[in-house]
Amino acid sequence: MSYARAFLKYLRRYLTHVQNSVFEGELTEGTLVEVKETLQSMLEEGESVMVYRMDSESYVERSVYGDDPMDDQQFL
């Protein structure tokens, strides 16, 4: 399995795949720590992952043009 597919498969367990290499969703503090540690362990030399943390929805303005992938989000 390619590394890109491995990242995709892992992140889809927790987040919604929005577009190429972009995922979004809400994580608990514990899950965030777990995801960050796992991603770091999956990286090869020269690779990187960026995580943007928004502690409040009041700091985020989200506009979607076209179909919103978050509309299909399933909750457990």
Side-chain angles (χ1 to χ4, degrees):
M1 176 183 306
S2 74
Y3 282 101
R5 289 204 37 84
F7 278 97
L8 178 68
K9 184 176 179 179
Y10 177 73
L11 289 172
R12 279 186 169 164
R13 292 172 41 194
Y14 301 98
L15 302 165
T16 299
H17 186 212
V18 179
Q19 65 182 44
N20 293 343
S21 302
V22 178
F23 297 82
E24 68 178 34
E26 294 184 30
L27 302 173
T28 65
E29 187 65 36
T31 302
L32 176 60
V33 169
E34 176 189 333
V35 167
K36 287 167 44 174
E37 288 174 354
T38 301
L39 291 176
Q40 190 169 9
S41 73
M42 294 172 70
L43 291 174
E44 291 191 343
E45 190 172 332
E47 293 182 320
S48 61
V49 172
M50 290 179 271
V51 175
Y52 294 89
R53 180 179 177 150
M54 285 92 170
D55 289 326
S56 171
E57 287 188 30
S58 64
Y59 296 119
V60 178
E61 180 178 326
R62 182 176 181 276
S63 301
V64 177
Y65 303 94
D67 295 333
D68 187 350
M70 292 299 286
D71 286 345
D72 295 332
Q73 185 175 12
Q74 296 178 347
F75 297 95
L76 298 175

